[in-house]
Amino acid sequence: MKRKTKFLTIAGTRPNFIKIAPFLDELAKFKRVKSVLVHTGQHYDYKMSQSFFDELKIKKPEYFLGIGSGSHSVQTAKALEGLEKIFLLEKPDLVILVGDVNSTLAGAIAAAKLHIPIAHIEAGQRSFDREMPEEINRTIVGQLATYHFAAMEKDVDNLLNEGISKKNIYYVGNIMVDTLLKSKKAAELLSRKIMKEYNIEPKKYVVMTLHRAGNADSKENLIQIFGAVKEISKKIKVIFTVHPRTAKMLKQFGLENYISRISGLRITDPVSYLEMLCLVINCFFVLSDSGGLQHETTVLNIPCLTMKKTSEWSVTIEKGTNIVVGMDKDKIVSEALKIISGRRKNAKKIRYWDGKTSERIVKILLDKFNE
Ligand code: UD1
């Protein structure tokens, strides 16, 4: 009997889970492919990991590495060691990697050293800011991957500029939009419950998230950002879902008390995917340094202020609701006040951000392995 084609997918962090969900769903339709999932364990708290598997109905991983937290090198090395063992045992025909986290980098190095082809989903994104750990990861993954699936047309150019052959680059659209469109209804159904729980009303609050190393690990940036939040929260309530990294650093910098005294600011633990989507659908605008929220808000046509120096999601600035405000208090406040006074951007449609990205990717891959 002919051996089934074996695809091995790797995920480790919160945004990875959102990206693999529609891909694995689509792949499961094809019985001639054996799909193996590895969870590196980079994220491990219930709300950062298992809640995504439950809500998005992601299959139980065949392997769980439990690498946990640590410095970038330690985290990457642990994942590298564990993944190599699994690759040698499973002998996959293809390794599928998503995004740009440390687990993605480890997967790329381990697979490339064993000459296993790699498909990279969300390939070619660049901020051209090497201070971002994600920029280092994705640039290396770009050099090692075999098939490159780009979320934005501009990412195709980035890959071409880095010498990647045109025949291996595919513009397929944004896979997170697949999950978003599939989950929107379920999130909307939570609205009444969530509004009550947080004591908020639709369009009368701001959703805030903050977790980038460049912000969370910098006292100076945190002071600027929360200085802005203090001003904004005088006009409109701010709901801040705090990432564990940021919670740890706020404590370390002795800023916890200052922040807890901002009266219009409500701080909560990380929330699940559907709860977050519900909060975003109903909010007035988003204040964040997240990658995911920059494009989710564009798809939902909700204003987004991005507290980063640059954005790799350039199309959300050109065609969407995104504005990059950096980390300067006055700039953040002035852009927020504009939105509050009704001056906002409206989103245009982006080609292939249509909920069918996973379908396109799986079709291309199956054609390759059918030859
Ligand atoms: C990682 C990714 C980042 C992505 C983010 C999504 C890298 C380099 N960064 O950043 O690109 O946007 O995930 O959230 O891979 N922690 C917990 N519980 C958890 C996970 C983390 O308490 O379940 C705490 C630990 O103190 C840990 C810190 O958060 O040290 C940072 O976690 P880590 O996985 O290193 O990076 P993120 O900031 O989550």
Side-chain angles (χ1 to χ4, degrees), residues 13-15 42-45 48 69 72 75 100-102 133-134 137 211-212 243-245 248:
T13 68
R14 196 162 61 166
Q42 183 174 341
H43 284 176
Y44 44 84
D45 289 346
M48 303 288 286
S69 301
H72 288 274
Q75 215 171 39
D100 51 20
V101 303
N102 288 341
E134 295 85 358
N137 293 346
H211 78 277
R212 290 276 157 203
H243 183 291
R245 171 196 280 277
K248 187 170 81 181

Side-chain angles (χ1 to χ4, degrees), residues 330-341:
D330 295 336
K331 172 80 176 155
I332 300 171
V333 173
S334 86
E335 290 296 336
L337 291 179
K338 274 189 212 163
I339 298 173
I340 292 169
S341 70

Side-chain angles (χ1 to χ4, degrees), residues 181-216:
L181 298 180
K182 247 189 220 170
S183 313
K184 201 169 161 227
K185 237 203 177 95
E188 278 163 355
L189 288 173
L190 291 175
S191 295
R192 193 195 280 254
K193 176 178 164 273
I194 302 265
M195 296 299 106
K196 203 170 159 205
E197 198 177 311
Y198 288 85
N199 190 23
I200 44 182
E201 285 173 55
K203 303 295 159 200
K204 291 198 175 152
Y205 66 93
V206 172
V207 176
M208 172 175 169
T209 78
L210 190 70
H211 78 277
R212 290 276 157 203
N215 283 334

